[in-house]
Amino acid sequence: MERKGILIVVSGYSGVGKGTLMKALTARYDTYALSISATTREPREGEQDGREYFFRTKDEFEELIAKDRLIEYASYCGNYYGTPKDYVEEQLKQGRDVILEIEQQGALKVKAKMPDVLMLFVMPPDAETLVQRLRGRETESEDVIRERLTQAVEESKYVDRYDYMIVNEDLDRAVEELHHLIESQHNRISRNLDFAKQIQQELMDLT
């Protein structure tokens, strides 16, 4: 049976460790393709264009929107974020599971366009841990941290739109839970209707 790629959306509060979790997952398993988002925010120290993000100016990003070259896009904390279309479609055709690590606005837009997308939300073990992680990054001012916490409160109202949560307390355990959860989706009947119908026809031919 031919393996079909699954589109997966991973969201979570800023500072929850989504990026670290995705890097650990893709380093451990070669069945995943992590989509690289485009953004208008400034690169953080150590980030490179085309690796963490495609860094674009506002005008360049709006040109991508106008040409319909994004699966989704959203504005978050004053910057655009979006998912380039070509890379995702090519990886799915090759049978790889494509992960979109995107903010909630964009995630819900993908869900509206593609109802069979697997929606996952990364949670901290508790709110205080989230605050500690935000401060521990030492990349943002206290004002920005407060803004991100205010945004997290708003995002918490829509968590029920997701299918599953992953609590990122222990990284290794979170990686394994995430991998097994995604793998289990490949056996859902709704994702294998063509194969089920093939078996049905073969059985009918034998009777």
Side-chain angles (χ1 to χ4, degrees), residues 106-161:
L108 297 179
K109 289 179 182 178
V110 173
K111 179 72 171 177
K113 288 182 181 178
M114 305 172 180
D116 64 343
V117 65
L118 177 61
M119 301 275 286
L120 306 176
F121 199 91
V122 182
M123 290 279 194
D126 52 64
E128 184 58 36
T129 298
L130 185 66
V131 174
Q132 291 172 2
R133 289 176 182 175
L134 283 169
R135 290 196 173 119
R137 295 197 305 199
E138 297 183 346
T139 57
E140 287 132 356
S141 67
E142 282 296 317
D143 285 344
V144 172
I145 289 173
R146 281 194 293 271
E147 182 180 359
R148 295 196 181 281
L149 291 174
T150 299
Q151 182 69 29
V153 171
E154 187 63 26
E155 289 172 339
S156 68
K157 300 175 184 178
Y158 300 94
V159 169
D160 61 353
R161 306 284 185 91

Side-chain angles (χ1 to χ4, degrees), residues 63-71 83-86 89:
E63 184 176 357
L64 292 174
I65 296 172
K67 292 183 176 179
D68 193 28
R69 303 313 305 157
L70 300 170
I71 291 179
T83 302
K85 184 182 292 184
D86 293 346
E89 292 178 345

Side-chain angles (χ1 to χ4, degrees), residues 180-196:
H180 290 304
L181 182 57
I182 295 170
E183 282 294 295
S184 71
Q185 300 303 303
H186 281 277
N187 294 325
R188 291 183 63 179
I189 290 292
S190 61
R191 297 186 187 276
N192 295 280
L193 289 177
D194 289 344
F195 179 73

Side-chain angles (χ1 to χ4, degrees), residues 58-76:
K58 183 179 179 183
D59 287 344
E60 289 171 339
F61 197 101
E62 290 179 346
E63 184 176 357
L64 292 174
I65 296 172
K67 292 183 176 179
D68 193 28
R69 303 313 305 157
L70 300 170
I71 291 179
E72 56 75 34
Y73 68 93
S75 178
Y76 179 78

Side-chain angles (χ1 to χ4, degrees), residues 11 22 27-29 36 73 83 90 93 99 110 114 138 140 146 167 177 192 207:
S11 303
M22 294 304 100
R28 191 171 301 181
Y29 300 101
I36 302 173
Y73 68 93
T83 302
E90 181 59 30
K93 286 179 183 176
I99 299 175
V110 173
M114 305 172 180
E138 297 183 346
E140 287 132 356
R146 281 194 293 271
V167 177
E177 287 180 356
N192 295 280
T207 58

